């Protein structure tokens, strides 16, 4: 089954404790992206990747890192989480290098609470 | 950060009514306009991708139009059903591979 998976689905952590949210897709998609969803603000793009070893900042990259060592995986790293990073996070992927032309497939979401 | 606006923010309609909502976006550097349907506790799912001025797309009772010159897109739902209740998101792609979402229109269809 074609899908985007994220882990964990739910996470409670404390300020400053490094964490990684994994994202994996099995569709051989080139474009992958991370978003955060906050009430009243909509989905905001954190980072995106056009291919292996090619990543770039979205609109809200501060406090996050990403890597794209393999085509299928695009982990989101919070080196020192803070309470303002409490949010619902979505990973998404699309087939084309021109991700802005292609439909994105979303993972199930990761709900993060930083105390 | 680009400005992508959706209106109304929420909408209640009776079952069987037809409805429409608006997405407005920058008219310059246009690449594509996407519509997604997002049900509570699920992930956004794609409805349409539109790339050309004048594009019209249709899927069942849902259709969309695009005007890139004036920077707006309409989503229409004909004969709304309770299962149409969801948040409808539009997303603008303006180059540099970035995607900017609107806040969404939350539709509630009352049986």
């Amino acid at each position: 089954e074609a899908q985007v998976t994220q882990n964990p689905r739910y996470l409670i952590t404390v300020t400053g404790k490094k964490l990684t949210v994994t994202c994996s897709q099995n569709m051989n998609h080139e474009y992958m992206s991370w978003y955060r969803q906050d009430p009243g603000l909509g989905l905001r793009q954190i980072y995106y990747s056009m291919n292996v070893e090619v990543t770039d900042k979205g609109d809200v990259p501060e406090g996050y890192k990403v890597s794209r060592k393999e085509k299928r995986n695009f982990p989101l790293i919070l080196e020192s989480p803070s309470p303002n990073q409490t949010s619902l996070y979505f990973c998404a992927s699309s087939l084309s290098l021109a991700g802005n032309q292609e439909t994105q497939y979303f993972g199930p979401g990761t709900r993060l609470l930083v105390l | 950060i680009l400005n992508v606006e959706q209106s109304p923010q929420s909408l209640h309609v009776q079952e069987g009514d037809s409805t429409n909502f608006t997405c407005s976006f920058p008219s310059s550097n246009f690449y594509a306009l996407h519509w997604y349907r997002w049900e509570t506790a699920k992930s956004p799912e794609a409805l349409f991708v539109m790339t050309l001025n004048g594009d019209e797309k249709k899927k069942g009772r849902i259709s969309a139009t695009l005007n890139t010159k004036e920077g707006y897109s309409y989503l229409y739902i004909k004969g709304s059903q309770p299962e149409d209740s969801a948040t409808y998101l539009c997303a603008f792609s303006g180059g540099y591979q970035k995607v900017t979402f609107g806040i969404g229109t939350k539709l509630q269809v009352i049986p």
Side-chain angles (χ1 to χ4, degrees), chain A residues 31 35 37 40-43 45 48 50 57-60 88 90 97-104 106-109, chain B residues 1-2 31-32 34 36 38 41-46 48-49 51 89 93-103:
Chain A
Y31 184 90
Y35 298 90
Q37 161 68 24
L41 294 177
L43 283 166
Q45 195 172 36
Y48 59 92
M50 290 176 281
K57 297 177 181 179
D59 290 323
V60 288
L88 175 60
F90 285 101
L97 185 65
N100 51 17
Q101 294 273 1
E102 291 287 341
T103 296
Q104 292 189 69
F106 283 80
Chain B
I1 296 178
L2 297 172
Y31 270 51
H34 306 245
Y36 291 86
W38 190 5
K42 293 188 178 180
S43 305
E45 291 184 348
F48 306 114
V49 178
T51 58
L89 301 171
S93 301
Y96 304 107
Q97 314 302 321
K98 284 188 180 180
V99 179
T100 302
F101 279 82
I103 289 176

